[in-house]
Each structure stands twice: as C-alpha cells, then as structure tokens.
Amino acid sequence: MLGLPKGEVLLVPWTEQWGEEFLLEKRRIESGNGAYPLVIHHIGSTAVQSLSAKPIIDIAIEIMRFEDGVQCVPHLEQIGYSYKGTNILPERHYFSKGEPRTHQIHMFQTGSEHLIRQVAFRDHLNQNESDRRSYQELKENLAKTYTTDKWAYADAKTDFVHSIMRKLGFEN
C-alpha cells in the first residue's frame, strides 16, 4: 500500500490506512527526539480524505529553531530515514525513508510560511468537496501525462494550488 519507486508518478486511491500509518510513524518519531518536535502534522494528499495520492506519507515537523533540525538527524536515521539536508526544498530539513520511498519528512521552524500553506491547503481540501474533486481530476490527468517525471507533475499542479491559496487569502 505504501512505496513509490524512484522516478515514477503513480496515484493510488485514498485509504484509511494512510492515517493509521501516519500515527504509527508519528509515535516512532516522538520516541527518541526529546523536546525538539513541537508538533507533527500529516500533510500532502495522503492527509486528504478521498483524494488519490502517490503512496508516500508526507510528514511535517515543527521545531522551535531551524538549527535544531540537525539534532534530530541521529534518531531519524536510527528509525530508517535518510537526511537529505536543507537545500532540496525551500526552508526545511528534508528526510526520506525507504526505497521505494514510503515516507518523507519536511522539518520547518514554527511559523514557517511554507508549513502554514501546507496545512491550510490540506485543511481546505478536506473541507471543500468541489475543490477536492477538481484537484483529483487534475492529478489523475497529470499522472497519465507525466508517468516518469515527478518534477513536471508537481509543476503542472502549481496554478491550481496557487488558485486555492489566493482563495484562502495568501499571496503567491
């Protein structure tokens, strides 16, 4: 049910198991990170009920100070994550787990605009069936077009995401 081979874009239907898997992983993360994670969020499409997604659990971790992210590396490596650094995606420490990849962690400083947007987008799709259906259709079409190009797939979703963020009062 989980795992996306490198270089593939594959959507699978939403399942309650994604929420259960997030909770299991959250407990693993909390078990050895002491006071560093303030809040652990389930983000991305696997956190949106009834939305098909790439079978990877996206996790956002809030930390008080961005520099504290390095203190979390040993524990996260111990539970199977690979630390990719801070230059993969903007303003975050990034970790991935598994090959094929099953989980990824985006670690943000509390108050990060990127985190606030991720959570707002997730919450909006969970509460707005019409936008969720539109996003579902878009993702299905793009997954057929970009079966082996995850960057093009992600880029092609940008206009839709920006339109939702404008609805929510965010500037692009």
Side-chain angles (χ1 to χ4, degrees):
M1 189 58 66
L2 280 181
L4 183 66
K6 202 171 218 143
E8 287 188 30
V9 175
L10 164 78
L11 298 180
V12 298
W14 182 84
T15 173
E16 287 180 5
Q17 291 175 327
W18 288 339
E20 294 165 10
E21 180 61 37
F22 164 74
L23 292 174
L24 286 170
E25 201 65 14
K26 178 181 177 186
R27 284 194 284 277
R28 286 183 195 112
I29 293 165
E30 290 172 331
S31 72
N33 265 324
Y36 290 106
L38 297 176
V39 182
I40 300 175
H41 304 271
H42 186 185
I43 59 169
S45 293
T46 61
V48 178
Q49 194 161 12
S50 303
L51 185 64
S52 294
K54 293 180 290 180
I56 300 170
I57 304 297
D58 279 293
I59 299 168
I61 297 178
E62 286 186 56
I63 53 178
M64 184 62 75
R65 297 176 323 126
F66 190 75
E67 310 80 60
D68 292 342
V70 201
Q71 304 303 319
C72 299
V73 172
H75 171 66
L76 293 172
E77 287 180 337
Q78 204 169 45
I79 61 171
Y81 285 90
S82 175
Y83 181 53
K84 304 298 184 183
T86 58
N87 59 353
I88 301 291
L89 293 165
E91 297 180 35
R92 71 195 79 186
H93 294 271
Y94 177 73
F95 301 79
S96 65
K97 183 176 189 176
E99 188 51 56
R101 187 170 27 135
T102 58
H103 300 77
Q104 49 195 17
I105 292 175
H106 309 263
M107 189 176 290
F108 299 97
Q109 180 170 317
T110 295
S112 162
E113 183 75 15
H114 293 287
L115 174 62
I116 292 166
R117 287 171 173 266
Q118 287 273 344
V119 171
F121 186 71
R122 176 205 65 196
D123 291 349
H124 176 78
L125 291 180
N126 271 316
Q127 297 164 5
N128 188 298
E129 187 177 343
S130 174
D131 286 341
R132 184 174 56 244
R133 273 198 315 264
S134 295
Y135 194 46
Q136 173 75 27
E137 290 172 25
L138 174 65
K139 288 174 57 154
E140 287 173 358
N141 291 331
L142 295 175
K144 290 174 191 168
T145 303
Y146 302 109
T147 58
T148 59
D149 190 343
K150 70 178 184 175
W151 298 111
Y153 169 81
D155 286 345
K157 296 186 302 180
T158 300
D159 287 344
F160 180 87
V161 172
H162 284 179
S163 74
I164 297 299
M165 299 315 292
R166 280 191 298 275
K167 265 190 201 183
L168 299 174
F170 291 90
E171 297 293 321
N172 292 327

